[in-house]
Amino acid sequence: MPLFHRQLIVALLFACLSLAAQAQPLRIVSEAWPPYIHDDNGVLRGLDYEAAHTVLQRLGVEVEWQLLPWRRCLMAMEQGQADGILDIFHTPEREASMLFPHEPLSQVELVLFYAKANPHPFHSLKDLHGLKIGVSAGYWYSDRAFRESELFTRESAPSHAANFGKLVRKRVDLVINDRRGGHFVLAQTGLDKHVRQHPRVISRDQMYLGLRRDAGFEELARRFANELLRFKREPAYAALQARYQNPAHARPAARPADKTANH
């Protein structure tokens, strides 16, 4: 068989797989993490959720959303129980099993939070010697020195809110979280008066919509990235960002969201 014919058959096969994969609703999982995605009395909201929801709606893609603990999100992707995962970091290790659209949803700054009643000075990693740091189970931290350091111990919690609860009860000495996300969680839980943030940024990273590599979503990843970039240039996206700039303004005035939060 000529090479051209073989290439054409392969291309058609991938196209058929992609169409078959998209015949059913796209199953996307994520962990509740305001202001990026969270359940507000049965309605999903959040900066990245609403951006992704808008883009996928424009692309004509039907979606089933589900909020799960982060490790269960990763497991759902590994076992083929989910087609996509919202707000995941792009790492070389994950490229083997996931597609990452070239346009990120958000950028995060990971910082350390401390309890006002139990402050710990922090200027460099050596200041963390002997301390217990609250981390998020299954999260990947891009700063290699922090990720691999043996100066301190790590203790995970089932949720971001649980991590901050342990912080004020002195069960951990510090908590690492995204600067913006951490302040939103603190405001939601009423702990913002008891917790402060160290100014030094541990690492900066970008969050993406990850798609299963073995499900024929290459074309969807490309179209999603292009439409997301187009949406980011519109006034509607600027308004969306402004709405989630401050914890006090987290709740939208209008309904841009989807009542499909499943726990």
Side-chain angles (χ1 to χ4, degrees), residues 25-29 62-64 77 80-85 212:
L26 195 71
R27 301 164 299 174
I28 300 180
V29 295
E62 184 181 353
V63 184
E64 289 181 356
M77 288 290 286
Q81 297 171 354
D83 302 311
I85 183 168
R212 278 176 51 210

Side-chain angles (χ1 to χ4, degrees), residues 48-59:
D48 289 351
Y49 163 75
E50 291 175 43
H53 177 81
T54 298
V55 169
L56 290 168
Q57 202 170 45
R58 290 182 179 184
L59 296 177

